Each structure stands twice: as structure tokens, then as C-alpha cells.
């Protein structure tokens, strides 16, 4: 089915307006908010801190533990509070998208806890969560090789697009959603999921779109982190 | 907190209290500033609010659904309050289902709303005995700097004050389309929590103060009428303490009420 | 051959390329990848000749030998005390590194008990994070009165100031004894509780405003104003 014009009139390679802020949860060691369109994600980091139970400890390095949750009123039909299979899976893939960059060798037997909550959802939630989490980790002073940026790309009808919104995900002519996370410096993909139907060429086109999107997101993340310490100087 | 550390904190807090001061410079009866309310912080809720008291931050969202009434009140809507002490809001909170503290928080907020009859439940009846509106009030702590109870109760009322009933078509709710009809919120109860620290009655405890308090009392007011009480903490309160707490809380509840739109 | 991409005192985020070329040498908070020197943490760039370093702006306390720390006794064994020093791993103070001569089979809680606050020095940190403490040294002891203020560890140097100028100014103005732990814990004790509050407030002010020039002057003004009250 043809998808002539995007529901919100965006260009195929245009993402929704984004904003980011760091330091939104004062008690956390690091925290950040990331918004894309109507999707708002908040992430907070505690750690490195002692990890209990002891059997989970790794004597060679600290571990990263990510928790993803959509709050009950983030979606039109109330979601019963608490974890479900989807949030459990997203916690896992989020952790795996951030593990390649965090360096916890200096902190054996510890854990870095990352809590991601979606306050308002309109598609692209796991990607927004990863964007927020990566800023929160940097804000917490966790040693990292790079930040991680994430965006969803996909196919709606017959068009390859970036940053699908809810309407596009639910498009009756068929939609394929592809969340992608990348490290900006060497463009390594650390999260890749897909559900739908695409050819290899379409996938590669979508990934190249994702790369461009992640580059833009990285600049926003970078600026949010620098803005938090604007004017920091030593006398 | 181990007892030696508690003693060190306590003796410092105590020496300040004897001069009518607190660690952050407030007087014993003062709430932190700023107290702010941001309305409609989440579009998919029928009503929502974010409240900050000093650095404590709580968000509450209200969602409506249609369901069956309880058999003993066939013409009344229902209120369901849940709370989560999110691990994101404090290094002391653990992941997992709501524990005792989260449950207590939810029930304190619930009591304030229910017992003051803040919501006219009869107006939430659609078809007696068959269909009524269910009002879900979900509380999420975002940053715990002390006194989550008062921030939660205030956010709940603020969120309820914004709720408009969603459109119903063919017996199904069309979420996202709101009618002009407001939720029948006829009262705005305010809950104020007072603590007792080494014999002194103190309002709006911050984190360090909460760790050294011996008891607390949460009071839900509508004007000067008391609709709910909850005592917490492992030490006792004298009747004199309670009277002092009620007086201090009543005054503060009027100040908090002013912050509501 | 080489090029510095970020200026001294600029803020860098993880993954940002700070310098290119083999002329420059990566120091703390940075690493080399091919010919690039890259930021490993959120921090402030510090260029010293050919050394490119990052001073972290946030992050937990990482103990180093010779650090003075303020710890809390959380466990007592036959021959040592275990202290929480605001780091993920507990630190150990063994009998032989404590101040007094302690008999064998003595009840160690008589010297330092659960919950006691102790000013100690880090003597050794092994690769797998075993941390040894000592209370042998000037000023190191159990702290009985006063209060502990907690700040972000990375702000401690600012609170101490160049050649301890900032902290000395606060001590003198408020007549308070102050021990600044590298682990972000600061002990303050003044004979006058009001002056203690002013000292505490001054320290918190430095933590919040560790940016901007002229901080030392503004703290001096703050102290003058608050102490006149």
C-alpha cells in the first residue's frame, strides 16, 4: 500500500523535534530526560555501588543493570503498573546496547543501576530510553568509550522512514519498525531489532538513515551534557 | 542508619532545634520552597500533575475506565490509588512490587480523597448496577528529598482537578478524545505531615530529618475539618504532641491550598 | 604532528576526540585510539604541555593512597574494623594501623564501635579494590561531635582551594574545626552552632557554584555577611 505523505507532514528522513536535559533527578548519581515528538523518557543512574546478592558480583568488573518501565498513564489505555514481558525484554536489550561502551573494569563486584521510565509514549520509547540512559551514565561519571544514540527507522507502506510515530506503527497498509542504537564515533550498532517485512536492500537503506539520525541525536546529547556544566572553571 | 550516626545527626539537629532552626535554615513550622505544581505533564493521562516541595518531586496521573460497581454501592464510581516508590528516586528504594511503604503512601492519599468525599462518586454512575466510571490515581515518586506523602497527596488533587471525562462511543472509551465534562471533584483535601524530632514538632521533614524523627502524623484537612489521620514512626506521641501537630498542619494546609490553581 | 581539538578548561563528553596525532599523550580520563586521544568520562579538559588529561566533573569516589577520608564503621571483626568510605568497596582498618596500642583479644568495639565516624588515611589500594586505612597520623581519630556534610567528591579540590586557601578561610572565619575527606565527606565542628551552620552553608555554596571566577571573593563576602548577623 502506498504511503504518500507522512501523517504529520514530515519528510521521510525527518525526525520529530527533540530536546534533552541532564540532572533532572537530584538524588541520582546521574540523570537525564530525552524527548522526541511526544515521547518522553527519563533515566537515572545509581552507581557504581555494591551489588547484592553476592553471587551476581563479577570479580573482574562491575556490571550494568538496566530497568525499563512505562508508567501507567504514559499510554492511552492505562497500563497496569509493574513489569511485563515487554519491559523485561527492553531492559535486557537496553543493557546490551550500553554494555559495549561502559568500562567498569575499575569497579569489580559493583553494579551500575540504570532506571528508565517512559513518562509519555508515542512510539520510539526504547530508543528514547537508550538516549536518556546514555546521557545519565555520562552524567554519573561512569567511564565510557562513547555515548550511545538510538532512533527507530522502518518501512511504512512502501516508504523507508525515520522516527516512526504511533500512527505510522499502526498503519493499516503495513509497517516495519526497526529500533537501532549506534555509537557515534565508529558507527557500531549496539541495538538492532525488527518486526515486519523488508528486503535486505530496504534494511540497508533504513540503517543508513539511522546513522544520519544518530549523528544528529549525538549532538543534542553532547550539548545537554555540556550545558549542565556551563561555565565550570577552576580558578 | 546505625545508632551512633543517628546520635551525631540528632545532636546536631537537636542543637539547632533548640534555637528554633533547622539544617536548611527553616523554622520548625515552615515547608520548603519552592512548592510548585505543573499541570498536564503527560498527554495520555486524563489528568496529571507534577508537584515539587523543595527538591522532592512526585508525579501523578489519572486514568479513567468503565467497569462494574461494587455490589454494596451500585450507583457509585470507584477510586483506585496506587503508588510506586521508584528506585530512580532514591538510593534507598529497591526494585520490585510496591512494598509496605509504597502501599502505606497510596492508602494515606486514598483516605484523604475518599473520606473527604472529594469526588462525588454518584455522579460517576453511568448505568446503576451495571456501569460506572473507575478512577485510577497512580502515584510515582521522581525524587525523594523527604516528605513524599504531602507531595503525593497534593499531586493527586492537582491531577484530579484537571480530569475531563473521555468520549464514549458504542460503550467503548475513545481515549485521546476528551469531552468538556470535568470529573466531579467537589473538595480539595490537603494532607500535611508533621514529625516529632527529640520532642520538637517539625513540619515537612527533609531526608536527614526523616532519618532521625521518632514519629510522624499525616493529617488530611478540608478547611479545619479532619478527614484522615495516619501516625507513623516507631515512637509514641502524647495527646499534646498530636494537638500541636494538628495546629501546625492546619496552618500549613492553608498555605499549600493556595498553590493549587 | 598533532592537533588539539578542545581547549583547556572546555567540557568534554565520553567519546569526544580531544587531540589528534602522536605528539600528545593521553593521561587520566582519556585513552588513545589509533592517532586520536579520546575522552573517557564527562570532564574538564586539562592540557599540560603534551599531556592531555580530563578532570572528572562527577562520579563516585575512587580511593587513592594518601587520601584523607571520613569513614563510618559498619563492621567489627577480631582484628579489624570495616568502614564505609563512600565508595562501593568497604575499607579495612586493622589493629596495627589504629592509633592506640590494643591488646590481643580486646573487644574492638571499645575503641571504634558500629556507626562511629572516623577520620582516617588510605594507605593502600590493591588492584581488586582491597582498601587499607590507618588512623596513625595527625588529626586522624574518632569524631564525636559536629556534623558530616556530603558533597560530590569531584568538588573537593575546589572546597580545599589552592594551598588550602579556601578551607582555611572558612575555618578562620567560623572558628570551626573542619576535616575535608577526599571521599566527599566533610566534618565540621564549631563551638558555636550558628557558626557551624555558616561554615556548612559556605561549603554547600562552593559545591553549587564551583564554576565562575571570583568564587573565593564571593565566599569571603558570604562569610562576612552571615557572621555579622
Amino acid at each position: 500500500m502506498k504511503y504518500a505523505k507522512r501523517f504529520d507532514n514530515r519528510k521521510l528522513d525527518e525526525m520529530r523535534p527533540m530536546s534533552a536535559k541532564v540532572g533532572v533527578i537530584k538524588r541520582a548519581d546521574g540523570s537525564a530526560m530525552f524527548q522526541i515528538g511526544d515521547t518522553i523518557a527519563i533515566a537515572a543512574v545509581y552507581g557504581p555501588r555494591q551489588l547484592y546478592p553476592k553471587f551476581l558480583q563479577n570479580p573482574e568488573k562491575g556490571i550494568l543493570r538496566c530497568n525499563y518501565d512505562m508508567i501507567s498513564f504514559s499510554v492511552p489505555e492505562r497500563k497496569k503498573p509493574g513489569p511485563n514481558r515487554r519491559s523485561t525484554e527492553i531492559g535486557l536489550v537496553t543493557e546490551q546496547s550500553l554494555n559495549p561502551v561502559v568500562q567498569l573494569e575499575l569497579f569489580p563486584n559493583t553494579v551500575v543501576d540504570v532506571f528508565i521510565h517512559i513518562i509519555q509514549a508515542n512510539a520510539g520509547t526504547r530508543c528514547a530510553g537508550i538516549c536518556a540512559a546514555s546521557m545519565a551514565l555520562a552524567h554519573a561519571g561512569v567511564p565510557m568509550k562513547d555515548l550511545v544514540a538510538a532512533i527507530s527507522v522502518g518501512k511504512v507502506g512502501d516508504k523507508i522512514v525515520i522516527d516512526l510515530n504511533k500512527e505510522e506503527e499502526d498503519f493499516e497498509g503495513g509497517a516495519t519498525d526497526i529500533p537501532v542504537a549506534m555509537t557515534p564515533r565508529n558507527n557500531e550498532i549496539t541495538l538492532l531489532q525488527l518486526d515486519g517485512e523488508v528486503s535486505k536492500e530496504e534494511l540497508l537503506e533504513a540503517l543508513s538513515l539511522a546513522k544520519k539520525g544518530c549523528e544528529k541525536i549525538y549532538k543534542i546529547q553532547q550539548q545537554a551534557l555540556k550545558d549542565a556544566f556551563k561555565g565550570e572553571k577552576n580558578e | 542508619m546505625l545508632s551512633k550516626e543517628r546520635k551525631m545527626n540528632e545532636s546536631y539537629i537537636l542543637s539547632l532545634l533548640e534555637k528554633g532552626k533547622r539544617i536548611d535554615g527553616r523554622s520548625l513550622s515552615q515547608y520548603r520552597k519552592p512548592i510548585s505544581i505543573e499541570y498536564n505533564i503527560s498527554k495520555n493521562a486524563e489528568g496529571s500533575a507534577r508537584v515539587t516541595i523543595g527538591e522532592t518531586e512526585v508525579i501523578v496521573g489519572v486514568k479513567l475506565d468503565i467497569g462494574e460497581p461494587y455490589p454494596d454501592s451500585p450507583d457509585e464510581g470507584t477510586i483506585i490509588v496506587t503508588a510506586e516508590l521508584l528506585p530512580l528516586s532514591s538510593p534507598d528504594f529497591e526494585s520490585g512490587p510496591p512494598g509496605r511503604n509504597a502501599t502505606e503512601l497510596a492508602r494515606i492519599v486514598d483516605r484523604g480523597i475518599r473520606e473527604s468525599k472529594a469526588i462525588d462518586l454518584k455522579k460517576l454512575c453511568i448505568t446503576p448496577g451495571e456501569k460506572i466510571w473507575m478512577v485510577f490515581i497512580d502515584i510515582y515518586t521522581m525524587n525523594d528529598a523527604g516528605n513524599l506523602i504531602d507531595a503525593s497527596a497534593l499531586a493527586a488533587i492537582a491531577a484530579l482537578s484537571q480530569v475531563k471525562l473521555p468520549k464514549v462511543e458504542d460503550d467503548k472509551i475513545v481515549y485521546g478524545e476528551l469531552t468538556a465534562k470535568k470529573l466531579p471533584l467537589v473538595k480539595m483535601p490537603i494532607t500535611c505531615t508533621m514529625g516529632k524530632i527529640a520532642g520538637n514538632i517539625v513540619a515537612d521533614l527533609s531526608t536527614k530529618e526523616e532519618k532521625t524523627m521518632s514519629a510522624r502524623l499525616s493529617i488530611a484537612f478540608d478547611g479545619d475539618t479532619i478527614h484522615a489521620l495516619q501516625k507513623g514512626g516507631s515512637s509514641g506521641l502524647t495527646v499534646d504532641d498530636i494537638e500541636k501537630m494538628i495546629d501546625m498542619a492546619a496552618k500549613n494546609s492553608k498555605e499549600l491550598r493556595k498553590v493549587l490553581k | 604532528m598533532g592537533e588539539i581539538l578542545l581547549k583547556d578548561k572546555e567540557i568534554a563528553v565520553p567519546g569526544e576526540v580531544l587531540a589528534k596525532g602522536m605528539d600528545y599523550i593521553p593521561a587520566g580520563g582519556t585513552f588513545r585510539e589509533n592517532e586520536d586521544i579520546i575522552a573517557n568520562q564527562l570532564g574538564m579538559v586539562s592540557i599540560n604541555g603534551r599531556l592531555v588529561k580530563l578532570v572528572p566533573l562527577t562520579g563516585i569516589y575512587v580511593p587513592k593512597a594518601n587520601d584523607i577520608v571520613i569513614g563510618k564503621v559498619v563492621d567489627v571483626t577480631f582484628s579489624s574494623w570495616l568502614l564505609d568510605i563512600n565508595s562501593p568497596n568497604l575499607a579495612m582498618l586493622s589493629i596495627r594501623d589504629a592509633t592506640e596500642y590494643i591488646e590481643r583479644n580486646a573487644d574492638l568495639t571499645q575503641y571504634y564501635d558500629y556507626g562511629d565516624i572516623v577520620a582516617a588515611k588510605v594507605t593502600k589500594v590493591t588492584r581488586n579494590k582491597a582498601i587499607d586505612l590507618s588512623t596513625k597520623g595527625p588529626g586522624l581519630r574518632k569524631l564525636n561531635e559536629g556534623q558530616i556534610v556530603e558533597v560530590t567528591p569531584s568538588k573537593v579540590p575546589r572546597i580545599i582551594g589552592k594551598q588550602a586557601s579556601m578551607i582555611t578561610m572558612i575555618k578562620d572565619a567560623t572558628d570551626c574545626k573542619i576535616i575535608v575527606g577526599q571521599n566527599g565527606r566533610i566534618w565540621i565542628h564549631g563551638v558555636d552552632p550558628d557558626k557551624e551552620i555558616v561554615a556548612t552553608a559556605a561549603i554547600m555554596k562552593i559545591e553549587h557554584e564551583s564554576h565562575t571566577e571570583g568564587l573565593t571573593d564571593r565566599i569571603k563576602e558570604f562569610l562576612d555577611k552571615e557572621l555579622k548577623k
Side-chain angles (χ1 to χ4, degrees):
Chain A
M1 188 173 182
K2 280 192 120 213
Y3 183 48
K5 206 175 185 208
R6 291 185 84 170
F7 292 120
D8 55 5
N9 290 323
R10 278 184 285 150
K11 301 209 259 305
L12 301 181
D13 63 349
E14 193 184 334
M15 296 183 285
R16 291 170 289 177
M18 293 178 277
S19 72
K21 190 159 185 246
V22 145
V24 295
I25 306 285
K26 297 279 183 280
R27 280 206 81 179
D29 294 325
S31 59
M33 181 284 298
F34 184 82
Q35 177 162 6
I36 179 166
D38 278 341
T39 293
I40 302 174
I42 291 192
V45 167
Y46 285 91
R49 57 182 180 178
Q50 267 298 318
L51 173 57
Y52 296 110
K54 271 200 129 159
F55 69 83
L56 288 177
Q57 290 180 4
N58 182 343
E60 286 175 4
K61 58 182 188 166
I63 67 167
L64 189 65
R65 191 162 57 179
C66 293
N67 226 283
Y68 166 99
D69 169 67
M70 292 182 84
I71 66 175
S72 66
F73 51 92
S74 61
V75 284
E77 265 192 65
R78 178 177 179 265
K79 173 196 162 283
K80 196 153 169 276
N84 56 25
R85 285 150 50 95
R86 176 180 176 271
S87 65
T88 304
E89 186 209 356
I90 294 180
L92 174 65
V93 296
T94 296
E95 207 173 287
Q96 293 178 338
S97 77
L98 298 165
N99 262 326
V101 301
V102 295
Q103 296 172 300
L104 300 175
E105 289 77 13
L106 286 179
F107 307 102
N109 297 320
T110 66
V111 62
V112 174
D113 276 318
V114 182
F115 299 104
I116 300 168
H117 291 276
I118 305 301
I119 308 297
Q120 191 176 271
N122 188 322
T125 59
R126 79 193 64 191
C127 292
I130 291 171
C131 292
S134 135
M135 285 187 285
L137 284 165
H139 185 233
V142 174
M144 296 163 81
K145 283 194 276 201
D146 207 346
L147 292 180
V148 178
I151 192 67
S152 72
V153 284
K155 186 165 136 188
V156 183
D158 59 336
K159 302 285 189 300
I160 305 290
V161 300
I162 193 170
D163 189 23
L164 285 76
N165 63 18
K166 192 94 188 78
E167 261 189 291
E168 290 179 321
E169 270 184 354
D170 297 339
F171 182 58
E172 50 174 22
T176 298
D177 182 33
I178 311 173
V180 181
M182 278 179 144
T183 57
R185 205 175 62 255
N186 53 18
N187 295 309
E188 255 177 34
I189 294 176
T190 59
L191 169 89
L192 181 61
Q193 293 181 290
L194 183 150
D195 58 89
E197 190 181 307
V198 290
S199 70
K200 186 181 87 172
E201 288 69 32
E202 287 171 330
L203 174 62
L204 294 175
E205 191 188 329
L207 289 181
S208 134
L209 209 51
K211 174 167 176 278
K212 294 204 189 89
C214 284
E215 279 163 10
K216 294 205 176 94
I217 291 176
Y218 173 66
K219 294 209 164 66
I220 294 174
Q221 293 173 305
Q222 203 181 35
Q223 199 55 51
L225 284 164
K226 294 191 191 212
D227 283 347
F229 295 93
K230 209 176 257 185
E232 280 278 334
K233 279 189 202 304
N234 279 319
E235 227 166 58
Chain B
M1 187 186 267
L2 293 165
S3 60
K4 279 285 170 67
E5 192 189 344
R6 180 178 265 124
K7 275 211 197 100
M8 196 184 204
N9 268 337
E10 216 176 80
S11 64
Y12 178 65
I13 290 177
L14 184 55
S15 65
L16 287 177
L17 285 177
E18 277 167 10
K19 296 174 171 243
K21 288 209 194 105
R22 295 154 78 172
I23 314 177
D24 55 9
R26 283 186 282 158
S27 75
L28 303 201
S29 60
Q30 265 181 319
Y31 267 61
R32 286 163 289 174
K33 284 198 176 79
I35 300 180
S36 74
I37 304 179
E38 207 187 320
Y39 293 91
N40 296 318
I41 52 114
S42 186
K43 286 186 181 172
N44 291 319
E46 276 69 71
S48 61
R50 166 184 288 120
V51 162
T52 66
I53 298 182
E55 287 193 339
T56 292
E57 184 182 318
V58 173
I59 60 176
V60 173
V62 177
K63 294 290 297 168
L64 299 180
D65 200 357
I66 296 179
E68 283 179 15
Y70 290 125
D72 55 353
S73 44
D75 59 347
E76 284 182 5
T78 56
I79 306 170
I80 303 104
V81 183
T82 72
E84 277 199 62
L85 298 180
L86 295 182
L88 124 140
S89 57
S90 166
D92 303 331
F93 297 159
E94 280 175 11
S95 279
R100 295 191 305 191
N101 292 327
T103 306
E104 187 198 20
L105 176 62
R107 288 173 68 86
I108 293 176
V109 173
D110 180 303
R111 235 170 260 136
I113 296 169
R114 198 183 295 278
E115 300 307 322
S116 63
K117 301 190 173 37
I119 301 176
D120 186 344
L121 295 175
K122 292 215 184 333
K123 292 218 171 93
L124 289 177
C125 178
I126 303 172
T127 312
E130 280 177 35
K131 278 204 232 111
I132 46 96
W133 282 105
M134 300 191 293
V135 182
F136 290 91
I137 302 168
D138 294 323
I139 301 166
Y140 289 93
T141 61
M142 298 306 285
N143 194 64
D144 179 17
N147 198 9
L148 290 170
I149 294 173
D150 294 359
S152 302
L154 189 58
I157 290 299
L160 286 168
S161 72
Q162 302 300 295
V163 174
K164 295 204 170 75
L165 301 185
K167 189 163 149 196
V168 181
E169 225 169 54
D170 301 327
D171 285 347
K172 278 191 79 198
I173 299 179
V174 184
Y175 285 110
E177 285 189 42
L178 298 174
T179 64
K181 197 165 175 216
K182 293 197 83 177
L183 180 85
L185 185 69
V186 299
K187 297 237 181 84
M188 305 232 270
I190 305 281
T191 301
C192 284
T193 302
M194 304 291 118
K196 182 174 170 183
I197 302 179
N200 297 277
I201 305 300
V202 186
D204 183 34
L205 302 180
S206 59
T207 309
K208 265 196 176 165
E209 291 172 331
E210 275 183 346
K211 293 200 164 127
T212 53
M213 80 157 174
S214 47
R216 61 159 155 83
L217 186 66
S218 299
I219 307 140
F221 286 99
D222 179 38
D224 285 311
T225 310
I226 297 169
H227 286 290
L229 287 177
Q230 181 89 349
K231 175 201 169 293
S234 18
S235 292
L237 290 173
T238 64
V239 174
D240 194 54
D241 287 336
I242 293 171
E243 203 183 331
K244 284 202 180 93
M245 286 169 146
I246 291 176
D247 287 340
M248 200 182 278
K251 279 207 190 85
N252 274 303
S253 73
K254 299 191 168 78
E255 290 306 308
L256 288 186
R257 188 180 295 285
K258 287 187 193 152
V259 189
L260 282 167
K261 249 199 318 225
Chain C
M1 269 299 307
E3 192 195 343
I4 291 269
L5 296 175
L6 260 75
K7 294 199 293 281
D8 193 57
K9 299 210 166 79
E10 262 194 79
I11 310 290
V13 308
E16 210 170 344
V17 180
L18 303 176
K20 280 177 151 9
M22 301 307 282
D23 270 7
Y24 294 99
I25 302 168
T30 68
F31 64 99
R32 189 191 287 291
E33 197 177 77
N34 304 320
E35 297 223 334
D36 295 340
I37 295 182
I38 295 160
N40 206 10
Q41 244 185 309
L42 177 65
M44 192 180 313
V45 176
S46 166
I47 301 178
N48 200 346
R50 291 170 55 194
L51 280 178
V52 178
K53 186 173 90 160
L54 260 191
V55 178
L57 290 165
T58 54
I60 60 162
Y61 169 59
V62 180
K64 304 187 304 295
N66 293 320
D67 278 354
I68 303 291
V69 295
I70 309 259
K72 256 181 262 191
V73 178
V74 294
D75 207 355
V76 183
T77 72
F78 289 123
S79 57
S80 66
W81 299 266
L82 289 174
L83 284 82
D84 154 23
I85 57 166
N86 197 25
S87 205
N89 301 79
L90 296 179
M92 183 171 82
L93 175 66
S94 70
I95 302 186
R96 65 167 192 280
D97 294 320
T99 36
E100 296 110 67
Y101 171 75
I102 296 173
E103 266 184 16
R104 265 210 298 170
N105 298 326
D107 175 5
L108 260 53
T109 63
Q110 300 296 329
Y111 298 89
Y112 301 124
D113 200 358
Y114 293 93
D116 273 344
I117 310 287
V118 178
K121 184 179 199 160
V122 177
T123 51
K124 191 161 86 178
V125 183
T126 67
R127 270 187 56 200
N128 52 332
K129 300 299 165 181
I131 306 163
D132 281 346
L133 298 177
S134 165
T135 46
K136 288 187 174 153
L140 303 180
R141 63 193 188 281
K142 179 163 72 173
L143 302 168
N144 287 317
E145 329 93 322
Q147 57 141 349
I148 305 290
V149 172
E150 300 210 358
V151 299
T152 314
S154 58
K155 311 275 172 152
V156 166
R158 197 74 194 86
I159 291 168
I160 295 177
K162 275 204 193 111
Q163 277 135 9
S165 52
M166 184 75 91
I167 198 67
T168 307
M169 175 172 73
I170 299 176
K171 279 187 201 173
D172 290 344
T174 59
D175 288 320
C176 285
K177 291 200 198 124
I178 303 180
I179 299 179
V180 180
Q182 293 291 327
N183 58 344
R185 288 200 186 130
I186 302 172
W187 175 77
I188 305 172
H189 181 49
V191 175
D192 182 348
D194 279 333
K195 289 192 181 165
E196 231 180 74
I197 298 179
V198 176
T200 309
I203 288 172
M204 300 310 293
K205 195 173 161 73
I206 300 171
E207 202 207 13
H208 287 133
E209 299 177 28
S210 55
H211 58 292
T212 77
E213 320 280 325
L215 183 59
T216 313
D217 290 334
R218 285 209 319 277
I219 296 296
K220 183 161 194 316
E221 264 175 54
F222 175 80
L223 290 169
D224 286 341
K225 188 174 125 214
E226 293 297 312
L227 291 169
K228 278 202 174 66
K229 286 188 185 162

